[in-house]
Structure formats: C-alpha cells, structure tokens
Amino acid sequence: MNIFKQFYKSTHSPKDIASFRFQGIGKTILYVFILTLISILPSIYYLSTLLTAGIESTKSVINDDIPSFTIENGTLSAETDLPITIDKGDFSIIVDPTGVITNEDVNDEDNAFALLKNEIAVAGGGRVDTYSYSMLEGLSLTKDDFTDIVDKVDGMKGIIIPVVSTFMFLFSSAINFIEISILAWIGLALKNLAGRSISYRHSWRMAAYSVTLPTVFFTIMAAINTTVPNSIVINWFVQIIILFLAIKEIPNQKNTLEN
C-alpha cells in the first residue's frame, strides 16, 4: 500500500493502522516526515503572506508617512517639531526626535516600533526592548538607508521563506517524533488493557499512523485560522483513543492458539 493510501486509511480505519505494524521502519519514518510537511503548510502560507504584506506596509509607511530623518552621533533628528504616531491597526510606529516620548509610553502600546531621540524601542508581548543609537558609533543612518534595507529584505524573500520553512519543518519533525515515541510507550500500557501482546517497535509504527486524524483536523483549523480550545488535551485524547482501537484490532494470540 502506498503512503498516500495509508494516509487516507489512517484517518478512519484502526484495523488498517494495526496492519501497518509489520511494515519497514523506513517507510514509517518517511510517513511521519510527509505528515509533518502537511501540518506546517498553513504556517508556511501565513509566513509568506505576512512577510510580503509587512514589507509592503513598511515601504508605504516609510515613503508616505514618516518624515525624513537622520540618526547620527547617537541622536535622532527629523523634519518635525512634534512626535509622530502612525497607527496601523494592531501595530504602531512612533517617530520622536524631541525626547518627549519615553520607553514607558511605548510600552503602553500593544505592539510598536519607535524611533526615539536616543534609542530604538520595540514593544510587544507586554514588554519593551531598547537599542541605543550609541551602538552605531561612527555610522549614520537616514530614511533612505532604511528604505534600502527594506528593499534588500524584499529581494531576499525567496531565500528567507525557504530557510525559515526548513527550520519549521525540522523543528516540527523533531516534536512529532518525540510525541510519537511517547504515544508508543502509552501503547504498551494500552495493550494490557486491550489484552493484546505487541512490542514497542510495533507500537511505535502504529502510533505514527494514529496521529494522522488529529493532525489533519488541526491543520484544517490552522488553515482557516481558527483557534481550538484545549487543543493539546484534544490532540492527545484522540491519538490515544485511535491507538487503543488499533491495538484492539490485533488478533488475540491466546484465542488464535485455542482456535
């Protein structure tokens, strides 16, 4: 049975999952990698669209809303006598060469990027991080320099997205292998409850296919950008139930011998 047919069977058939326990470990590992790739597709899509939208929004703000400025000798100077705050919905951009706005003011914003008189302040997640212009000693940055930086990032999207996606895939794969290994150990406890006899290697193969249904469900929820309450509990509950049902499909050796 090919991997894609196994994928389909694993979404609804504990009996087929039980039969997969005899297949080679290499094919099972390949299945886990494919399942991981499917699970991160919504994240890769949102990463791509958010990066593209963020770059275009930043370009628009820099070109149209922010006055010309220069960062030199540890101080910001700009063509404005008043602080400027640009509200972009969930994100704010602040330019203040006057020194009126402080770090505490920036922290009052949910998410913000601020060019202050002597430092850059970035607010998010209930905290604010600051970076002093003195770190740029001997260097001078202007609005045009920031525009060039954004243009370079825009030109590197074709590299940034694949690199970040690869890290996401590797990290998610590692998490999935750990999760399947834990589920396989749980399977050894479930075999006693079901009155069946299986080894850890068989339990591991079955566990790898038992995670298919919850993975598909949460991938769809991620694709439509819907948060599922208690997702971790639901995920483990469904996996364990499917694995238990699959274990019960294994013929009972005692009954087989009697027959």
Side-chain angles (χ1 to χ4, degrees), residues 25-162:
I25 188 63
K27 187 174 183 180
T28 306
I29 290 174
L30 177 61
Y31 181 84
V32 175
F33 279 129
I34 292 175
L35 195 62
T36 301
L37 179 60
I38 292 173
S39 70
I40 66 171
L41 287 178
S43 298
I44 293 175
Y45 171 76
Y46 285 120
L47 167 68
S48 178
T49 55
L50 286 174
L51 181 60
T52 301
I55 289 173
E56 293 304 318
S57 177
T58 301
K59 282 183 179 180
S60 175
V61 169
I62 291 176
N63 292 329
D64 302 332
D65 300 323
I66 295 179
S68 296
F69 64 85
T70 301
I71 299 173
E72 192 172 16
N73 297 324
T75 304
L76 171 71
S77 59
E79 295 181 356
T80 178
D81 296 326
L82 296 171
I84 296 175
T85 300
I86 302 162
D87 188 4
K88 289 293 180 180
D90 294 332
F91 190 79
S92 298
I93 298 173
I94 300 169
V95 179
D96 177 29
T98 67
V100 171
I101 295 179
T102 64
N103 294 339
E104 289 73 17
D105 296 325
V106 176
N107 197 32
D108 290 338
E109 303 286 341
D110 291 332
N111 298 284
F113 176 83
L115 292 173
L116 304 182
K117 185 175 180 63
N118 301 113
E119 60 194 356
I120 294 174
V122 181
R127 55 174 289 176
V128 59
D129 297 311
T130 60
Y131 308 91
S132 174
Y133 299 141
S134 60
M135 295 187 297
L136 303 173
E137 186 175 356
L139 296 177
S140 175
L141 287 177
T142 66
K143 176 179 175 177
D144 291 336
D145 293 326
F146 271 79
T147 301
D148 290 340
I149 292 172
V150 174
D151 287 337
K152 288 178 180 178
V153 173
D154 191 17
M156 293 177 64
K157 281 189 303 184
I159 298 174
I160 294 172
I161 293 174

Side-chain angles (χ1 to χ4, degrees), residues 17 25 29 37 44 110 115 121 130 148 154 163 165 201 216 219 228 246 251-252 258-259:
I17 292 175
I25 188 63
I29 290 174
L37 179 60
I44 293 175
D110 291 332
L115 292 173
T130 60
D148 290 340
D154 191 17
V163 168
S165 297
R201 61 193 178 92
V216 171
T219 299
V228 180
N252 191 318
E258 290 176 354
N259 293 332

